[in-house]
Structures are given as structure tokens and as C-alpha cells.
Amino acid sequence: VTGLIFLVLLLNKRITGIFERGLKLKTGECFTLAVFALLLLAGVAVEKIRVAEATGALLLGLVLAETTHSKRVIQIVTPFRDLLGAVFFYSFGMGIDYRVFGEVIFIVLVIVAATVAGNALSGFYASWLAGQKGRRAFNVAFTIMARGEFSILFASLAVASGASELLSGTAALYVFILAFLGPYLAKNSRRFYELYQHISGFGRKEKLIDNQKAKF
């Protein structure tokens, strides 16, 4: 795979020139057919050398992005991207047994807690490095909660290779919880900041009172 990627990057200019001339099609129908035919051929070609079809599609995208037809390609591909992405995850959802959720709920909650805490700390640290403090830091920290949709894909592939079926259920429940929790945290970042201000202010007041009592 690494060799294929380096080869494409090395020959990028020559390959781009071929596509630049070949995709000069006037009608939108012919252009659309040509783009999807290239995508299909890229998938078949890399599959012959036992490389994932997604890798071929990615490399084709890297090449077409360097042509003057890139904006035209994006206009065609974007509607299909969302539709096919939904179908893609739908097909994996068909293979998940939701009845195992009860067996993995505790480990999933631990993973979710670790994810939220890790992302929040990363957001605070990144904000601190960028010179952002206070409310802005909270906004950043609570809006980067990744849902990890592709963990379902990896878990399903692992199960197909012989891993425990609980793995796909764990990944699915993890994604479901973060799908609800992520937007909630992002929407209520202001409330969390106000709560932080209240707690930190209350702590300072208590410390001030204790210091005054100690003087007397």
C-alpha cells in the first residue's frame, strides 16, 4: 500500500495531465459517467493487487483534485457521498445484534467517560496554546467530541475475522451514546462554563473566609 501511494505521488503530474485532457467533456452526463467509471476502475485495479478499494478511491481523489475539473467533480460527488455513506453504515448496522448492549453497557460507559475527558482536556490544552481562555476554551473543549463512526466498521471487520461478536455491539453502543452526548455538550458549553465559574468562585470565597477567621 505504501509503495502504491508513493508511486502515485511520484507520477502525480503525469497522471494529472492525462485526466486533465481526458475529462474535457462538454455534456454533464458524459462527465458524470466518466468520473464514476474511473472510480470503478480504480477500485477494481487496487483490488487485483489485494489493496482496499477505499485506497484506490482515495488516490483517485488526490489526482483529480489537482486538475481544473476538481470543482465540477465535487459538485457531482457530494450528493452521492452522503447517500452512499448512509448506505455503507446501514449495511454494517444490519450485522449488529443490539441484544448484546446489556452485556457491554458498563465497559462502554467507561470508554465514553474516557473519550469525553480526553477530548475535553485536549480542547482545553489546545485553547491554552492558542491563547484562548475562559468561555472560548470551554466552547472548543466541548465541541470536539468525536463520535467514532468508523469504529463500527473496524469492529465489524474484526468480528468477520473471528473476533467476539460483543466487539461490534460495543462499538455501536459507543457511537450511539456519543451521537447524543456530543451535541448536548456542545450546545450547553455555556452552562458548563457558568457552573465552573460558580464552583471556582465559591471555592475562593471559602478560602477567603477561612483566612479571615485565621487572622482573628
Side-chain angles (χ1 to χ4, degrees):
V1 178
T2 305
L4 177 62
I5 294 174
F6 277 114
L7 180 62
V8 172
L9 294 177
L10 184 63
L11 301 176
N12 188 27
K13 291 185 178 180
R14 295 184 180 180
I15 300 174
T16 300
I18 295 173
F19 287 126
E20 184 72 45
R21 294 187 297 270
L23 290 176
K24 288 183 178 180
L25 303 171
K26 295 182 179 180
T27 61
E29 293 81 1
C30 292
F31 186 81
T32 302
L33 289 174
V35 169
F36 282 99
L38 288 172
L39 180 60
L40 180 61
L41 290 173
V44 173
V46 296
E47 188 180 12
K48 293 296 183 180
I49 57 175
R50 297 184 179 181
V51 177
E53 296 90 339
T55 303
L58 176 63
L59 293 175
L60 178 63
L62 291 174
V63 173
L64 292 181
E66 298 299 321
T67 66
T68 57
H69 308 292
S70 58
K71 292 183 179 180
R72 194 177 178 187
V73 173
I74 291 174
Q75 291 177 349
I76 294 172
V77 172
T78 299
F80 291 97
R81 179 194 61 191
D82 299 332
L83 174 62
L84 296 178
V87 173
F88 179 75
F89 284 104
Y90 171 77
S91 64
F92 281 100
M94 294 287 290
I96 296 174
D97 185 4
Y98 67 90
R99 287 168 290 192
V100 304
F101 287 174
E103 302 180 38
V104 300
I105 181 64
F106 294 109
I107 186 63
V108 170
L109 291 177
V110 172
I111 298 173
V112 168
T115 300
V116 172
N119 285 344
L121 291 174
S122 299
F124 284 127
Y125 183 65
S127 301
W128 177 73
L129 290 178
Q132 304 295 334
K133 298 180 180 179
R135 172 73 186 281
R136 293 180 179 179
F138 271 76
N139 288 341
V140 173
F142 289 102
T143 54
I144 59 172
M145 298 298 164
R147 299 189 182 105
E149 290 90 344
F150 279 98
S151 61
I152 298 178
L153 166 61
F154 299 137
S156 300
L157 293 175
V159 171
S161 300
S164 173
E165 294 184 359
L166 295 177
L167 188 59
S168 59
T170 300
L173 185 58
Y174 168 77
V175 171
F176 288 152
I177 293 176
L178 284 182
F180 289 101
L181 188 60
Y184 173 80
L185 293 175
K187 184 178 180 180
N188 294 278
S189 62
R190 179 178 180 179
R191 294 183 180 179
F192 288 109
Y193 176 64
E194 292 175 351
L195 179 62
Y196 164 76
Q197 282 186 316
H198 176 73
I199 294 174
S200 60
F202 181 73
R204 285 196 295 269
K205 288 180 181 178
E206 280 192 329
K207 188 177 292 185
L208 181 61
I209 292 172
D210 291 338
N211 291 335
Q212 289 177 347
K213 287 182 178 180
K215 291 180 180 180
F216 291 105

